[in-house]
Every structure is written in structure tokens, then in C-alpha cells.
């Protein structure tokens, strides 16, 4: 994945919603250079002019989260068979009906089906059918 493709989404556990587009994250570190247990999200909002988002007319506000109040999920840099972005926490189904969750491992990168790495799978057979936050019932079908 190229840095220009770097993307993420934030699951807000208190509001049960994603904060996805038009935001940036600011982590805080203490004097010992250890990350604090909270982070700040700058949310950019754009004014609609005649139904079109005008990026010249914008505002910004900050939202603060403790680590246990939100989850930051990374974009894999890949798309499913329908062209949908695949993020950490997405639930994927293959052509055989197998269902699993995209997770991240520092050893292997993004993992979908147990010992398979996401880049090794045939993306033309995978479809994002939900995510672990909004559709946990999909995992009960396994």
C-alpha cells in the first residue's frame, strides 16, 4: 500500500457510528515519550453550496476519545469484488460462503481466513458483507 492510499475509519463506541471521512488523528505523548491513553480527532466539515460540497468553505472541531471509547481501523489498500474498500474489522464472504473478519497482525499484515494473508486470496471472490460493529450477527452464521 502506498502512503497516498493510507486511510482509516474510527468506530465511536459511545455513539455507535463510524467517523470516516474528513478527519485527522492527533496522538498525545507524555514527557517519557509514551503515548497517552487518549487521542484527538479533528473533524472537518464543508458547507454545501447548491448541493455541492465547497472545500473552500469549511470548519473544524475536535473530538476527544479515550482508547477504550473508540477503535481505529486501517484501510487494507484493497477492494472487494464489488469495488468496496476493505478495512480492518470488515466481515468478508468468499464464493464458497465462508465468512470471516479482517484483522491485523504485526507478523503477517492483514489476515482474513486463519492462516491466509489478505493479499494471497483471490479478491475477485471476496465481498464485504458488513463489519463487526454494525453486523455482529453475521458472525453467528459461521
Amino acid at each position: 500500500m502506498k502512503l497516498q492510499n493510507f486511510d482509516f475509519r474510527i468506530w465511536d463506541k459511545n455513539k455507535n457510528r463510524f467517523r470516516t471521512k474528513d478527519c485527522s488523528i492527533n496522538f498525545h505523548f507524555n514527557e517519557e515519550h509514551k503515548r497517552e491513553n487518549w487521542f484527538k480527532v479533528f473533524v472537518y466539515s464543508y458547507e454545501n453550496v447548491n448541493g455541492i460540497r465547497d472545500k473552500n468553505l469549511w470548519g473544524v472541531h475536535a473530538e476527544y476519545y479515550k482508547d477504550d471509547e473508540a477503535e481505529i481501523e486501517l484501510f487494507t489498500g484493497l477492494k472487494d469484488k464489488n469495488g468496496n474498500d476493505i478495512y480492518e474489522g470488515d466481515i468478508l464472504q468468499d464464493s464458497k460462503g465462508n465468512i470471516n473478519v479482517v484483522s491485523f497482525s504485526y507478523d503477517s499484515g492483514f489476515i482474513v481466513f486463519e492462516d491466509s494473508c489478505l493479499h494471497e486470496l483471490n479478491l475477485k471472490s471476496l465481498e464485504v458483507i458488513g463489519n463487526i460493529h454494525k453486523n455482529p450477527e453475521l458472525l453467528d452464521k459461521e
Side-chain angles (χ1 to χ4, degrees), residues 12 15 17 19 22-26 28 38-45 58-65:
D12 183 327
K15 295 180 182 175
R17 68 175 181 153
R19 171 66 69 202
D22 301 322
C23 63
S24 61
I25 300 175
N26 186 347
H28 293 266
W38 62 277
F39 59 94
K40 182 177 5 179
V41 176
F42 292 103
V43 180
Y44 304 95
S45 55
W58 61 279
V60 64
H61 74 274
E63 296 177 1
Y64 297 85
Y65 294 97

PDB file of all heavy atoms in Angstrom, residues 12 15 17 19 22-26 28 38-45 58-65:
ATOM      1  N   ASP A  12     -16.815   4.942  16.882  1.00  0.00           N
ATOM      2  CA  ASP A  12     -17.135   5.631  18.131  1.00  0.00           C
ATOM      3  C   ASP A  12     -18.054   4.719  18.930  1.00  0.00           C
ATOM      4  O   ASP A  12     -19.222   4.529  18.576  1.00  0.00           O
ATOM      5  CB  ASP A  12     -17.813   6.967  17.812  1.00  0.00           C
ATOM      6  CG  ASP A  12     -18.126   7.788  19.045  1.00  0.00           C
ATOM      7  OD1 ASP A  12     -18.419   7.203  20.114  1.00  0.00           O
ATOM      8  OD2 ASP A  12     -18.104   9.028  18.938  1.00  0.00           O
ATOM      9  N   LYS A  15     -21.287   6.515  20.479  1.00  0.00           N
ATOM     10  CA  LYS A  15     -22.346   6.930  19.552  1.00  0.00           C
ATOM     11  C   LYS A  15     -22.728   5.834  18.557  1.00  0.00           C
ATOM     12  O   LYS A  15     -23.645   6.015  17.758  1.00  0.00           O
ATOM     13  CB  LYS A  15     -21.903   8.175  18.782  1.00  0.00           C
ATOM     14  CG  LYS A  15     -21.717   9.375  19.684  1.00  0.00           C
ATOM     15  CD  LYS A  15     -21.280  10.592  18.900  1.00  0.00           C
ATOM     16  CE  LYS A  15     -21.055  11.769  19.836  1.00  0.00           C
ATOM     17  NZ  LYS A  15     -20.523  12.933  19.127  1.00  0.00           N
ATOM     18  N   ARG A  17     -21.260   4.660  15.844  1.00  0.00           N
ATOM     19  CA  ARG A  17     -21.166   5.107  14.452  1.00  0.00           C
ATOM     20  C   ARG A  17     -19.702   5.227  14.061  1.00  0.00           C
ATOM     21  O   ARG A  17     -18.823   5.309  14.908  1.00  0.00           O
ATOM     22  CB  ARG A  17     -21.862   6.440  14.244  1.00  0.00           C
ATOM     23  CG  ARG A  17     -21.144   7.564  14.957  1.00  0.00           C
ATOM     24  CD  ARG A  17     -21.755   8.904  14.669  1.00  0.00           C
ATOM     25  NE  ARG A  17     -20.970   9.907  15.390  1.00  0.00           N
ATOM     26  CZ  ARG A  17     -20.856  11.148  15.014  1.00  0.00           C
ATOM     27  NH1 ARG A  17     -21.483  11.572  13.952  1.00  0.00           N
ATOM     28  NH2 ARG A  17     -20.139  11.993  15.704  1.00  0.00           N
ATOM     29  N   ARG A  19     -16.684   7.324  12.273  1.00  0.00           N
ATOM     30  CA  ARG A  19     -16.169   8.630  11.866  1.00  0.00           C
ATOM     31  C   ARG A  19     -15.168   8.285  10.777  1.00  0.00           C
ATOM     32  O   ARG A  19     -14.134   7.706  11.056  1.00  0.00           O
ATOM     33  CB  ARG A  19     -15.511   9.321  13.052  1.00  0.00           C
ATOM     34  CG  ARG A  19     -14.761  10.564  12.733  1.00  0.00           C
ATOM     35  CD  ARG A  19     -15.604  11.701  12.256  1.00  0.00           C
ATOM     36  NE  ARG A  19     -16.443  12.220  13.313  1.00  0.00           N
ATOM     37  CZ  ARG A  19     -17.549  12.899  13.064  1.00  0.00           C
ATOM     38  NH1 ARG A  19     -17.948  13.114  11.836  1.00  0.00           N
ATOM     39  NH2 ARG A  19     -18.280  13.344  14.041  1.00  0.00           N
ATOM     40  N   ASP A  22     -12.907  12.957   6.133  1.00  0.00           N
ATOM     41  CA  ASP A  22     -12.614  14.343   6.503  1.00  0.00           C
ATOM     42  C   ASP A  22     -12.246  14.499   7.977  1.00  0.00           C
ATOM     43  O   ASP A  22     -12.788  15.333   8.686  1.00  0.00           O
ATOM     44  CB  ASP A  22     -13.800  15.255   6.146  1.00  0.00           C
ATOM     45  CG  ASP A  22     -14.125  15.202   4.671  1.00  0.00           C
ATOM     46  OD1 ASP A  22     -13.170  15.135   3.870  1.00  0.00           O
ATOM     47  OD2 ASP A  22     -15.299  15.226   4.323  1.00  0.00           O
ATOM     48  N   CYS A  23     -11.317  13.667   8.420  1.00  0.00           N
ATOM     49  CA  CYS A  23     -10.834  13.817   9.792  1.00  0.00           C
ATOM     50  C   CYS A  23      -9.360  13.430   9.856  1.00  0.00           C
ATOM     51  O   CYS A  23      -8.826  12.777   8.964  1.00  0.00           O
ATOM     52  CB  CYS A  23     -11.655  12.995  10.777  1.00  0.00           C
ATOM     53  SG  CYS A  23     -11.608  11.224  10.555  1.00  0.00           S
ATOM     54  N   SER A  24      -8.708  13.883  10.890  1.00  0.00           N
ATOM     55  CA  SER A  24      -7.319  13.509  11.141  1.00  0.00           C
ATOM     56  C   SER A  24      -7.170  13.201  12.623  1.00  0.00           C
ATOM     57  O   SER A  24      -7.973  13.639  13.439  1.00  0.00           O
ATOM     58  CB  SER A  24      -6.364  14.629  10.716  1.00  0.00           C
ATOM     59  OG  SER A  24      -6.622  15.795  11.457  1.00  0.00           O
ATOM     60  N   ILE A  25      -6.155  12.429  12.957  1.00  0.00           N
ATOM     61  CA  ILE A  25      -5.947  11.987  14.335  1.00  0.00           C
ATOM     62  C   ILE A  25      -4.686  12.634  14.887  1.00  0.00           C
ATOM     63  O   ILE A  25      -3.681  12.736  14.198  1.00  0.00           O
ATOM     64  CB  ILE A  25      -5.791  10.458  14.415  1.00  0.00           C
ATOM     65  CG1 ILE A  25      -7.043   9.771  13.890  1.00  0.00           C
ATOM     66  CG2 ILE A  25      -5.508  10.012  15.833  1.00  0.00           C
ATOM     67  CD1 ILE A  25      -6.922   8.273  13.821  1.00  0.00           C
ATOM     68  N   ASN A  26      -4.759  13.028  16.144  1.00  0.00           N
ATOM     69  CA  ASN A  26      -3.609  13.595  16.835  1.00  0.00           C
ATOM     70  C   ASN A  26      -3.407  12.805  18.124  1.00  0.00           C
ATOM     71  O   ASN A  26      -4.236  12.858  19.024  1.00  0.00           O
ATOM     72  CB  ASN A  26      -3.886  15.070  17.139  1.00  0.00           C
ATOM     73  CG  ASN A  26      -2.704  15.783  17.724  1.00  0.00           C
ATOM     74  OD1 ASN A  26      -1.738  15.166  18.139  1.00  0.00           O
ATOM     75  ND2 ASN A  26      -2.789  17.087  17.777  1.00  0.00           N
ATOM     76  N   HIS A  28      -1.277  11.924  21.623  1.00  0.00           N
ATOM     77  CA  HIS A  28      -0.537  12.719  22.601  1.00  0.00           C
ATOM     78  C   HIS A  28       0.444  11.836  23.356  1.00  0.00           C
ATOM     79  O   HIS A  28       0.153  10.696  23.670  1.00  0.00           O
ATOM     80  CB  HIS A  28      -1.515  13.391  23.561  1.00  0.00           C
ATOM     81  CG  HIS A  28      -2.348  14.412  22.871  1.00  0.00           C
ATOM     82  ND1 HIS A  28      -1.999  15.735  22.843  1.00  0.00           N
ATOM     83  CD2 HIS A  28      -3.477  14.306  22.143  1.00  0.00           C
ATOM     84  CE1 HIS A  28      -2.889  16.404  22.142  1.00  0.00           C
ATOM     85  NE2 HIS A  28      -3.804  15.552  21.697  1.00  0.00           N
ATOM     86  N   TRP A  38      -5.383   8.525  25.343  1.00  0.00           N
ATOM     87  CA  TRP A  38      -6.455   9.235  24.658  1.00  0.00           C
ATOM     88  C   TRP A  38      -5.902   9.859  23.377  1.00  0.00           C
ATOM     89  O   TRP A  38      -4.700   9.944  23.197  1.00  0.00           O
ATOM     90  CB  TRP A  38      -7.076  10.315  25.556  1.00  0.00           C
ATOM     91  CG  TRP A  38      -6.121  11.398  25.968  1.00  0.00           C
ATOM     92  CD1 TRP A  38      -5.230  11.339  27.010  1.00  0.00           C
ATOM     93  CD2 TRP A  38      -5.928  12.670  25.362  1.00  0.00           C
ATOM     94  NE1 TRP A  38      -4.506  12.497  27.079  1.00  0.00           N
ATOM     95  CE2 TRP A  38      -4.914  13.343  26.073  1.00  0.00           C
ATOM     96  CE3 TRP A  38      -6.509  13.310  24.269  1.00  0.00           C
ATOM     97  CZ2 TRP A  38      -4.486  14.612  25.728  1.00  0.00           C
ATOM     98  CZ3 TRP A  38      -6.073  14.586  23.945  1.00  0.00           C
ATOM     99  CH2 TRP A  38      -5.063  15.217  24.680  1.00  0.00           C
ATOM    100  N   PHE A  39      -6.801  10.229  22.488  1.00  0.00           N
ATOM    101  CA  PHE A  39      -6.391  10.886  21.255  1.00  0.00           C
ATOM    102  C   PHE A  39      -7.460  11.891  20.833  1.00  0.00           C
ATOM    103  O   PHE A  39      -8.593  11.846  21.291  1.00  0.00           O
ATOM    104  CB  PHE A  39      -6.085   9.882  20.139  1.00  0.00           C
ATOM    105  CG  PHE A  39      -7.232   8.980  19.769  1.00  0.00           C
ATOM    106  CD1 PHE A  39      -8.086   9.302  18.726  1.00  0.00           C
ATOM    107  CD2 PHE A  39      -7.427   7.779  20.446  1.00  0.00           C
ATOM    108  CE1 PHE A  39      -9.121   8.468  18.380  1.00  0.00           C
ATOM    109  CE2 PHE A  39      -8.465   6.931  20.103  1.00  0.00           C
ATOM    110  CZ  PHE A  39      -9.313   7.276  19.068  1.00  0.00           C
ATOM    111  N   LYS A  40      -7.054  12.790  19.975  1.00  0.00           N
ATOM    112  CA  LYS A  40      -7.942  13.843  19.497  1.00  0.00           C
ATOM    113  C   LYS A  40      -8.179  13.643  18.008  1.00  0.00           C
ATOM    114  O   LYS A  40      -7.263  13.334  17.258  1.00  0.00           O
ATOM    115  CB  LYS A  40      -7.290  15.208  19.747  1.00  0.00           C
ATOM    116  CG  LYS A  40      -8.143  16.380  19.341  1.00  0.00           C
ATOM    117  CD  LYS A  40      -7.559  17.768  19.635  1.00  0.00           C
ATOM    118  CE  LYS A  40      -6.177  17.846  20.170  1.00  0.00           C
ATOM    119  NZ  LYS A  40      -5.701  19.215  20.401  1.00  0.00           N
ATOM    120  N   VAL A  41      -9.424  13.808  17.595  1.00  0.00           N
ATOM    121  CA  VAL A  41      -9.784  13.709  16.186  1.00  0.00           C
ATOM    122  C   VAL A  41     -10.258  15.085  15.732  1.00  0.00           C
ATOM    123  O   VAL A  41     -11.154  15.670  16.327  1.00  0.00           O
ATOM    124  CB  VAL A  41     -10.902  12.673  15.956  1.00  0.00           C
ATOM    125  CG1 VAL A  41     -11.334  12.647  14.505  1.00  0.00           C
ATOM    126  CG2 VAL A  41     -10.461  11.299  16.415  1.00  0.00           C
ATOM    127  N   PHE A  42      -9.617  15.605  14.704  1.00  0.00           N
ATOM    128  CA  PHE A  42     -10.076  16.849  14.095  1.00  0.00           C
ATOM    129  C   PHE A  42     -11.043  16.487  12.980  1.00  0.00           C
ATOM    130  O   PHE A  42     -10.692  15.747  12.056  1.00  0.00           O
ATOM    131  CB  PHE A  42      -8.902  17.656  13.526  1.00  0.00           C
ATOM    132  CG  PHE A  42      -7.995  18.183  14.588  1.00  0.00           C
ATOM    133  CD1 PHE A  42      -6.766  17.582  14.842  1.00  0.00           C
ATOM    134  CD2 PHE A  42      -8.368  19.285  15.354  1.00  0.00           C
ATOM    135  CE1 PHE A  42      -5.926  18.070  15.834  1.00  0.00           C
ATOM    136  CE2 PHE A  42      -7.533  19.782  16.342  1.00  0.00           C
ATOM    137  CZ  PHE A  42      -6.314  19.178  16.584  1.00  0.00           C
ATOM    138  N   VAL A  43     -12.258  16.997  13.076  1.00  0.00           N
ATOM    139  CA  VAL A  43     -13.289  16.702  12.092  1.00  0.00           C
ATOM    140  C   VAL A  43     -13.520  17.955  11.257  1.00  0.00           C
ATOM    141  O   VAL A  43     -13.801  19.026  11.782  1.00  0.00           O
ATOM    142  CB  VAL A  43     -14.607  16.284  12.773  1.00  0.00           C
ATOM    143  CG1 VAL A  43     -15.670  15.973  11.727  1.00  0.00           C
ATOM    144  CG2 VAL A  43     -14.371  15.092  13.683  1.00  0.00           C
ATOM    145  N   TYR A  44     -13.364  17.802   9.960  1.00  0.00           N
ATOM    146  CA  TYR A  44     -13.533  18.916   9.032  1.00  0.00           C
ATOM    147  C   TYR A  44     -14.919  18.832   8.412  1.00  0.00           C
ATOM    148  O   TYR A  44     -15.338  17.776   7.951  1.00  0.00           O
ATOM    149  CB  TYR A  44     -12.458  18.865   7.936  1.00  0.00           C
ATOM    150  CG  TYR A  44     -11.073  18.841   8.513  1.00  0.00           C
ATOM    151  CD1 TYR A  44     -10.403  17.637   8.717  1.00  0.00           C
ATOM    152  CD2 TYR A  44     -10.446  20.016   8.894  1.00  0.00           C
ATOM    153  CE1 TYR A  44      -9.130  17.618   9.273  1.00  0.00           C
ATOM    154  CE2 TYR A  44      -9.173  20.001   9.443  1.00  0.00           C
ATOM    155  CZ  TYR A  44      -8.528  18.805   9.627  1.00  0.00           C
ATOM    156  OH  TYR A  44      -7.272  18.786  10.186  1.00  0.00           O
ATOM    157  N   SER A  45     -15.624  19.925   8.418  1.00  0.00           N
ATOM    158  CA  SER A  45     -16.939  19.958   7.782  1.00  0.00           C
ATOM    159  C   SER A  45     -16.937  21.005   6.686  1.00  0.00           C
ATOM    160  O   SER A  45     -16.318  22.061   6.818  1.00  0.00           O
ATOM    161  CB  SER A  45     -18.029  20.261   8.814  1.00  0.00           C
ATOM    162  OG  SER A  45     -17.746  21.460   9.502  1.00  0.00           O
ATOM    163  N   TRP A  58     -15.177  25.821   4.886  1.00  0.00           N
ATOM    164  CA  TRP A  58     -15.097  24.705   5.806  1.00  0.00           C
ATOM    165  C   TRP A  58     -14.910  25.172   7.239  1.00  0.00           C
ATOM    166  O   TRP A  58     -14.557  26.303   7.505  1.00  0.00           O
ATOM    167  CB  TRP A  58     -13.983  23.748   5.405  1.00  0.00           C
ATOM    168  CG  TRP A  58     -12.611  24.374   5.396  1.00  0.00           C
ATOM    169  CD1 TRP A  58     -12.082  25.135   4.408  1.00  0.00           C
ATOM    170  CD2 TRP A  58     -11.633  24.310   6.430  1.00  0.00           C
ATOM    171  NE1 TRP A  58     -10.814  25.543   4.746  1.00  0.00           N
ATOM    172  CE2 TRP A  58     -10.513  25.057   5.989  1.00  0.00           C
ATOM    173  CE3 TRP A  58     -11.581  23.705   7.671  1.00  0.00           C
ATOM    174  CZ2 TRP A  58      -9.370  25.194   6.759  1.00  0.00           C
ATOM    175  CZ3 TRP A  58     -10.440  23.847   8.427  1.00  0.00           C
ATOM    176  CH2 TRP A  58      -9.351  24.581   7.966  1.00  0.00           C
ATOM    177  N   GLY A  59     -15.148  24.248   8.152  1.00  0.00           N
ATOM    178  CA  GLY A  59     -14.931  24.481   9.574  1.00  0.00           C
ATOM    179  C   GLY A  59     -14.299  23.243  10.171  1.00  0.00           C
ATOM    180  O   GLY A  59     -14.243  22.192   9.542  1.00  0.00           O
ATOM    181  N   VAL A  60     -13.839  23.360  11.380  1.00  0.00           N
ATOM    182  CA  VAL A  60     -13.211  22.213  12.040  1.00  0.00           C
ATOM    183  C   VAL A  60     -13.588  22.227  13.522  1.00  0.00           C
ATOM    184  O   VAL A  60     -13.741  23.281  14.120  1.00  0.00           O
ATOM    185  CB  VAL A  60     -11.664  22.237  11.855  1.00  0.00           C
ATOM    186  CG1 VAL A  60     -11.044  23.438  12.519  1.00  0.00           C
ATOM    187  CG2 VAL A  60     -11.034  20.958  12.361  1.00  0.00           C
ATOM    188  N   HIS A  61     -13.789  21.044  14.068  1.00  0.00           N
ATOM    189  CA  HIS A  61     -13.974  20.911  15.508  1.00  0.00           C
ATOM    190  C   HIS A  61     -13.220  19.664  15.972  1.00  0.00           C
ATOM    191  O   HIS A  61     -12.890  18.793  15.164  1.00  0.00           O
ATOM    192  CB  HIS A  61     -15.455  20.870  15.894  1.00  0.00           C
ATOM    193  CG  HIS A  61     -16.145  19.588  15.561  1.00  0.00           C
ATOM    194  ND1 HIS A  61     -16.704  19.348  14.326  1.00  0.00           N
ATOM    195  CD2 HIS A  61     -16.353  18.467  16.295  1.00  0.00           C
ATOM    196  CE1 HIS A  61     -17.241  18.139  14.315  1.00  0.00           C
ATOM    197  NE2 HIS A  61     -17.037  17.586  15.491  1.00  0.00           N
ATOM    198  N   ALA A  62     -12.949  19.610  17.249  1.00  0.00           N
ATOM    199  CA  ALA A  62     -12.176  18.495  17.804  1.00  0.00           C
ATOM    200  C   ALA A  62     -13.081  17.598  18.633  1.00  0.00           C
ATOM    201  O   ALA A  62     -13.989  18.071  19.313  1.00  0.00           O
ATOM    202  CB  ALA A  62     -11.033  19.013  18.656  1.00  0.00           C
ATOM    203  N   GLU A  63     -12.832  16.313  18.539  1.00  0.00           N
ATOM    204  CA  GLU A  63     -13.492  15.320  19.386  1.00  0.00           C
ATOM    205  C   GLU A  63     -12.393  14.565  20.118  1.00  0.00           C
ATOM    206  O   GLU A  63     -11.368  14.239  19.538  1.00  0.00           O
ATOM    207  CB  GLU A  63     -14.323  14.350  18.543  1.00  0.00           C
ATOM    208  CG  GLU A  63     -15.466  15.018  17.827  1.00  0.00           C
ATOM    209  CD  GLU A  63     -16.255  14.052  16.937  1.00  0.00           C
ATOM    210  OE1 GLU A  63     -15.917  12.845  16.883  1.00  0.00           O
ATOM    211  OE2 GLU A  63     -17.207  14.515  16.295  1.00  0.00           O
ATOM    212  N   TYR A  64     -12.618  14.299  21.383  1.00  0.00           N
ATOM    213  CA  TYR A  64     -11.620  13.610  22.206  1.00  0.00           C
ATOM    214  C   TYR A  64     -12.128  12.220  22.570  1.00  0.00           C
ATOM    215  O   TYR A  64     -13.284  12.049  22.926  1.00  0.00           O
ATOM    216  CB  TYR A  64     -11.347  14.409  23.487  1.00  0.00           C
ATOM    217  CG  TYR A  64     -10.751  15.760  23.207  1.00  0.00           C
ATOM    218  CD1 TYR A  64     -11.556  16.860  22.915  1.00  0.00           C
ATOM    219  CD2 TYR A  64      -9.378  15.934  23.208  1.00  0.00           C
ATOM    220  CE1 TYR A  64     -11.000  18.106  22.645  1.00  0.00           C
ATOM    221  CE2 TYR A  64      -8.813  17.174  22.943  1.00  0.00           C
ATOM    222  CZ  TYR A  64      -9.633  18.248  22.660  1.00  0.00           C
ATOM    223  OH  TYR A  64      -9.072  19.477  22.384  1.00  0.00           O
ATOM    224  N   TYR A  65     -11.235  11.234  22.460  1.00  0.00           N
ATOM    225  CA  TYR A  65     -11.581   9.855  22.773  1.00  0.00           C
ATOM    226  C   TYR A  65     -10.529   9.242  23.688  1.00  0.00           C
ATOM    227  O   TYR A  65      -9.343   9.411  23.454  1.00  0.00           O
ATOM    228  CB  TYR A  65     -11.619   9.002  21.500  1.00  0.00           C
ATOM    229  CG  TYR A  65     -12.697   9.365  20.520  1.00  0.00           C
ATOM    230  CD1 TYR A  65     -12.419  10.192  19.440  1.00  0.00           C
ATOM    231  CD2 TYR A  65     -13.976   8.853  20.655  1.00  0.00           C
ATOM    232  CE1 TYR A  65     -13.401  10.515  18.519  1.00  0.00           C
ATOM    233  CE2 TYR A  65     -14.966   9.166  19.739  1.00  0.00           C
ATOM    234  CZ  TYR A  65     -14.674  10.000  18.677  1.00  0.00           C
ATOM    235  OH  TYR A  65     -15.644  10.315  17.758  1.00  0.00           O
TER     236      TYR A  65
END
